Amino acid sequence: MSKTNKHGLSRYIPADIERDVRVRSKFGCVFCRSAIYQYEHIVPEFNDATEHSSEHMCLLCGRCHDKVTKGQISKDSVRRQYEKVQTDANIKRPFDDLVLDSQSLTVVLGSSIFHGARTLIEIDGDAVLAIEPPEDGMSFPTISGEFSDENGEELFRIERNVWSGPPDVGI
């Protein structure tokens, strides 16, 4: 994957733009509300973009992003859904199953309950899946993890809720 588009725009999105896109998307995929996401250039597509603009970018989970890439979801649908998320005061929040008690964090995953945990999965002393307290202005924490195959080769990673890896590897 090229690090720049045909106009020389870097795939690196400035932190202030990323933050604004997260806020406008209400911290989740604009379709399914997943808190694990990628940044999507709506119009123009990244290849034709000359700037990163939070007005023209949103959050999509890997599955929804893949559907857009394959043409199963139109860019117009993405734009409309992004606008809806921004204006809907009752939109589902990602991590609705997390219970926050000031600085103490309780995570409920199925029948497992983690109190005050920062590392949810650890293998050989390395954190494979970790959770961090909410950043300023967020009402829920972020997830980070590195996932490898049986040979130790990285399959994908999640860094502060941002997915990176091949699109054909899913959670």
Side-chain angles (χ1 to χ4, degrees):
M1 183 181 304
S2 175
K3 294 190 186 261
T4 61
N5 70 7
K6 66 184 181 185
H7 299 288
L9 182 66
S10 170
R11 288 200 175 274
Y12 169 78
I13 302 168
D16 61 327
I17 301 294
E18 285 184 340
R19 173 76 177 155
D20 197 34
V21 171
R22 290 194 306 272
V23 168
R24 286 169 173 260
S25 297
K26 297 189 179 166
F27 300 96
C29 173
V30 298
F31 285 103
C32 70
R33 306 307 300 141
S34 171
I36 307 301
Y37 47 74
Q38 301 167 348
Y39 292 89
E40 166 72 3
H41 279 266
I42 303 168
V43 176
E45 292 187 28
F46 173 75
N47 193 45
D48 296 319
T50 57
E51 67 175 345
H52 296 293
S53 166
S54 57
E55 293 177 19
H56 303 291
M57 294 174 66
C58 68
L59 301 179
L60 293 178
C61 71
R63 178 171 289 147
C64 291
H65 192 255
D66 192 42
K67 287 180 179 179
V68 171
T69 301
K70 291 179 178 179
Q72 297 169 336
I73 298 175
S74 71
K75 291 285 192 160
D76 193 47
S77 295
V78 175
R79 181 190 50 76
R80 284 193 313 268
Q81 189 64 24
Y82 187 38
E83 290 170 357
K84 178 182 176 186
V85 165
Q86 291 177 69
T87 58
D88 186 348
N90 298 314
I91 198 81
K92 180 188 177 295
R93 296 177 318 137
F95 291 118
D96 275 345
D97 293 335
L98 293 179
V99 179
L100 297 176
D101 175 20
S102 65
Q103 292 301 319
S104 176
L105 181 64
T106 299
V107 180
V108 179
L109 295 172
S111 61
S112 299
I113 301 173
F114 303 90
H115 296 285
R118 295 293 188 254
T119 301
L120 301 178
I121 300 174
E122 184 176 299
I123 299 176
D124 295 330
D126 295 325
V128 175
L129 185 61
I131 193 162
E132 300 171 41
E135 64 181 74
D136 292 338
M138 285 178 60
S139 58
F140 50 86
T142 58
I143 293 177
S144 296
E146 295 180 28
F147 302 87
S148 304
D149 65 14
E150 62 275 2
N151 299 318
E153 296 294 319
E154 184 177 294
L155 295 171
F156 66 93
R157 69 178 47 232
I158 301 168
E159 295 181 58
R160 299 188 54 80
N161 292 6
V162 178
W163 167 280
S164 61
D168 58 341
V169 177
I171 311 178

